């Protein structure tokens, strides 16, 4: 139905920047919610940012002011611009798309922030 492909992860020095991309394909409804979760080793997943279908943005307090989420509906692509990265941002980042009570997940992309 829906496939999500992530890219843009990597290793970066603290204070640096990365841009994650999530490209969606398949049967994508006009009304959907997209966003990003992350999961560090030994910790549960946490919501990083999301784009509710009704508009606006949602950010975790830990990333607000540093990360920016955006979406190009024509391209069905979502971006997460991550600036001023901190070691605590190290995790596997998963994009998701939610529609019709079903959540689809990307394969995950590793982000490592060194001190």
């Amino acid at each position: 139905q829906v496939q999500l492909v992530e890219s843009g992860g990597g290793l970066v020095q603290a204070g640096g920047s990365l841009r994650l991309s999530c490209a969606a394909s398949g049967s994508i409804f006009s009304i959907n919610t997209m966003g990003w979760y992350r999961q560090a080793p030994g910790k549960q997943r946490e919501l990083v940012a999301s784009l509710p279908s009704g508009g606006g943005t949602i950010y975790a307090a830990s990333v607000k002011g540093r990360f920016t989420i955006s979406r190009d509906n024509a391209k069905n692509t979502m971006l997460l611009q991550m600036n001023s990265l901190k070691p605590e941002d190290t995790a596997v980042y998963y994009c998701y798309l939610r529609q019709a009570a079903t959540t689809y997940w990307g394969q995950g992309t590793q982000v490592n922030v060194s001190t």
Side-chain angles (χ1 to χ4, degrees):
Q1 279 285 333
V2 175
Q3 297 81 43
L4 304 177
V5 179
E6 304 179 37
S7 62
L11 193 153
V12 66
Q13 196 83 5
S17 299
L18 285 174
R19 178 176 292 180
L20 305 184
S21 177
C22 179
S25 62
S27 301
I28 302 171
F29 300 167
S30 60
I31 300 177
N32 63 70
T33 297
M34 297 184 69
W36 299 84
Y37 279 84
R38 67 185 181 188
Q39 187 167 23
K43 301 179 66 176
Q44 293 186 330
R45 72 174 188 177
E46 66 172 334
L47 179 68
V48 177
S50 70
L51 289 165
S53 60
T57 56
I58 298 175
Y59 293 99
S62 59
V63 308
K64 194 169 187 177
R66 300 186 297 119
F67 291 10
T68 302
I69 187 173
S70 62
R71 177 166 61 182
D72 186 336
N73 288 328
K75 299 178 180 179
N76 289 321
T77 300
M78 177 181 57
L79 300 175
L80 183 67
Q81 179 66 46
M82 306 186 295
N83 298 325
S84 301
L85 283 163
K86 304 175 180 179
E88 68 185 64
D89 297 318
T90 295
V92 178
Y93 285 69
Y94 299 90
C95 67
Y96 73 91
L97 182 152
R98 182 180 181 182
Q99 64 182 21
T102 301
T103 302
Y104 303 89
W105 295 92
Q107 81 280 7
T109 184
Q110 179 72 49
V111 172
N112 289 313
V113 184
S114 62
T115 58

